[in-house]
Amino acid sequence: MKINKSFLIITILSAITFIGKAQNNPAINDDKYTGTILRQQKEEGARIIPTGVPLLLIAPDARSGAIGDIGAATTADANSNHWNAAKLAFADKKMAASFTYSPWLRDIIGDIDLAYLSGYYKINDRSAVGTSLTYFSLGKINFTDNQGAAIGTYSPNEFALDVSYSMKLSENFSAAVTGRYIRSDLTQGQSINGTSTHAANAIAADLGIYYQKDLTGDNPQQIAFGAQVSNLGNKVSYSDDDIESSFLPANLRVGGRYTYSMDQFNKISFMLDLNKLLVPTPPIRDSIGEVVYGKDNNVGVVKGIFQSFTDAPDGFAEELKEINISAGTEYWYNNLLAVRAGYFYENKKKGNRQYLTLGMGLKYNSLGIDLSYLVPTSSTGTNPLKNTLRVSLSFDF
C-alpha cells in the first residue's frame, strides 16, 4: 500500500471539507481571535487563496516552463491554447501539434505524471481553431477501510479538455474564446472522514485578446501584448454538500513581449507576465463568525470575480501581493537552437512559489523538442517539479 500517496489525497479532500465548513461554522472560531490578534492577522497573516482543480494553472509545456511560466504574448505555437488562444490567429504554420510529459513529485513518489496534448489548425489567414487535453494521473492507490482491510485499487486522475476559436479583428489585433470541460476524480467514490464523495465536474470558458506589431528600423523588431481571463466556470464539489464547493482557479493573465533581430541568424525576446487569481480572498472572522476584515467569500462565481480585486483583509497592499510576476528571455539561433531562462515570483504570504527556470529548444524541419528545468529559490525550497526535466515534442505541418 502506498501510504504517502493515499495520505496526500485524503489530506487534499479533508482540507477542502474543512475550508468549506470553516467559512460557515462560527464554532471553529474562539475568543483568542479578537482585538490585537485580529489586527495582527490582518497585517501579518498568510492568506493563501484556496481553489479547486489547481491542475488548471500548471504550466503544461516545456517552452513556457523554461521562461518562468510565461505565455500571454509569446509567439504562437501548438501550446497557445493554454496561455492565450488569441495568438493562434497569428500562427505562421498551417497546423501544429505538441505533446509534453512532466513527472510530478518525482523526489517523493514515482508514478504521478502530467501529460499535455495540444494543437491548432489555421482555417484561413485570419482565423484558427485549437484544442488541448491535460491529464494528471496519481498512479495506482490501494484503499483500505478503518480496520485496514483492502477494499480495492484505484487510479485517481484529473483531466481538462478544451476547444478554442481565434480570429483576427484587424491586421494587428485578435480575440479568442475557449470552452473547457473539467473532471477531477481523486477518490473514486470513497468515503473521506465519514463523507461520501464523487468526481467533481465543471464547464468553464477563457477569453483572450492579443496585439502584435512589427516595428520599422535597421533591424527587424516586434512588440506584442496579450491578456487572457481563464477558467470562468461553476464551482466544483467532491460531495453533495454545497457548503464544501470550491471556486475554479479563475485567473487574469496580462503580458508583453519585445523581440529584436540582431541579424538574419540571431534574435532575442524579452517577456513579462502578471497573474492574479479572480477568486475571493478568505476574510478574517471574529469569535462568532462575523467578518471583521475583508469581505465574505461565500458568494457566487460572478460576484467573486469582481470582489477579488477589493476584498483582501489588509487592503490594497495585500491586493498587490496577490499578483504573481514572471519574467523571461528566449534566444534563437537561425531558428534551429533556442536558449531560455526565466523567473517566477509569488509573495511569501500568498504561497511563496519562487523559482528560476532554464531550458533549451531544438528545431529541425517540422520536428521540435523543448526541455525545461526548475530550480526553487524560496526559503522553503519545495516545488513539485524540483529536480525534474520536462520534455515537449512538437510537429509543424
Side-chain angles (χ1 to χ4, degrees):
M1 176 178 179
K2 298 179 179 178
I3 298 177
N4 287 342
K5 198 190 300 181
S6 300
F7 177 77
L8 174 66
I9 294 176
I10 292 172
T11 300
I12 292 172
L13 292 176
S14 296
I16 292 172
T17 301
F18 175 80
I19 290 168
K21 291 182 177 178
Q23 292 170 350
N24 292 272
N25 183 5
I28 73 165
N29 299 277
D30 57 46
D31 291 337
K32 71 178 181 179
Y33 297 112
T34 57
T36 302
I37 300 299
L38 288 175
R39 288 193 294 273
Q40 289 177 344
Q41 280 190 314
K42 177 178 78 74
E43 297 170 0
E44 303 174 5
R47 279 176 288 278
I48 298 174
I49 301 174
T51 69
V53 201
L55 162 74
L56 300 174
L57 292 180
I58 296 173
D61 65 287
R63 180 199 177 194
S64 291
I67 51 177
D69 296 354
I70 288 177
T74 53
T75 52
D77 62 14
N79 301 298
S80 295
N81 221 55
H82 173 85
W83 301 101
N84 185 0
K87 298 186 299 182
L88 294 177
F90 287 88
D92 58 2
K93 302 294 183 181
K94 180 68 174 179
M95 181 169 59
S98 177
F99 174 75
T100 302
Y101 172 75
S102 303
W104 203 252
L105 289 171
R106 186 57 78 215
D107 286 351
I108 303 175
I109 302 170
D111 63 347
I112 297 182
D113 307 290
L114 174 69
Y116 183 66
L117 179 65
S118 61
Y120 71 84
Y121 174 77
K122 289 288 293 289
I123 301 173
N124 50 46
D125 187 55
R126 300 188 63 84
S127 60
V129 292
T131 185
S132 66
L133 172 65
T134 308
Y135 183 80
F136 186 58
S137 171
L138 282 89
K140 294 186 180 297
I141 296 179
N142 299 320
F143 282 90
T144 60
D145 59 21
N146 292 333
Q147 285 72 44
I151 57 177
T153 300
Y154 303 93
S155 300
N157 62 84
E158 296 180 312
F159 73 86
L161 175 66
D162 52 54
V163 177
S164 66
Y165 176 74
S166 173
M167 181 177 181
K168 286 184 180 180
L169 302 180
S170 70
E171 181 181 355
N172 303 109
F173 182 75
S174 64
V177 60
T178 302
R180 178 172 296 113
Y181 170 68
I182 304 149
R183 181 176 175 84
S184 177
D185 191 1
L186 297 181
T187 63
Q188 311 265 295
Q190 297 302 304
S191 178
I192 305 296
N193 291 339
T195 300
S196 59
T197 66
H198 55 69
N201 295 274
I203 299 293
D206 299 350
L207 301 173
I209 56 174
Y210 178 69
Y211 175 86
Q212 175 179 296
K213 183 176 178 60
D214 294 327
L215 303 179
T216 58
D218 295 336
N219 296 84
Q221 302 170 64
Q222 188 178 82
I223 58 171
F225 302 94
Q228 183 193 49
V229 178
S230 60
N231 305 316
L232 303 176
N234 59 281
K235 292 184 179 181
V236 295
S237 177
Y238 295 91
S239 73
D240 293 328
D241 191 345
D242 290 337
I243 293 177
E244 299 169 15
S245 61
S246 302
F247 287 93
L248 289 177
N251 182 74
L252 171 63
R253 177 189 302 275
V254 296
R257 169 177 58 87
Y258 170 71
T259 299
Y260 177 77
S261 297
M262 293 169 273
D263 52 44
Q264 61 178 333
F265 298 109
N266 301 277
K267 65 179 178 181
I268 189 169
S269 295
F270 301 95
M271 295 150 285
L272 179 71
D273 269 15
L274 304 177
N275 286 272
K276 187 184 188 309
L277 279 174
L278 304 181
V279 178
T281 305
I284 296 175
R285 300 175 184 270
D286 62 16
S287 59
I288 61 173
E290 296 295 326
V291 174
V292 179
Y293 298 109
K295 297 180 181 179
D296 189 357
N297 59 343
N298 296 317
V299 296
V301 172
V302 175
K303 183 176 181 179
I305 291 172
F306 290 99
Q307 179 176 306
S308 66
F309 292 96
T310 60
D311 64 352
D314 200 25
F316 183 68
E318 185 174 349
E319 294 290 350
L320 292 178
K321 294 177 182 177
E322 294 180 353
I323 299 175
N324 297 334
I325 303 171
S326 299
T329 185
E330 179 181 58
Y331 164 80
W332 274 99
Y333 173 74
N334 201 27
N335 290 323
L336 295 175
L337 172 66
V339 179
R340 305 179 177 111
Y343 192 79
F344 180 94
Y345 174 82
E346 180 179 62
N347 189 275
K348 64 181 180 180
K349 299 295 182 64
K350 296 297 178 177
N352 202 29
R353 291 179 299 160
Q354 298 169 26
Y355 48 84
L356 173 70
T357 59
L358 303 167
M360 63 179 299
L362 294 171
K363 190 171 181 61
Y364 181 74
N365 292 331
S366 61
L367 176 64
I369 181 170
D370 296 298
L371 307 173
S372 68
Y373 192 80
L374 183 149
V375 182
T377 60
S378 65
S379 56
T380 58
T382 59
N383 192 287
L385 290 169
K386 179 182 178 182
N387 300 325
T388 300
L389 185 67
R390 310 175 71 186
V391 182
S392 292
L393 295 177
S394 60
F395 305 89
D396 295 334
F397 303 95

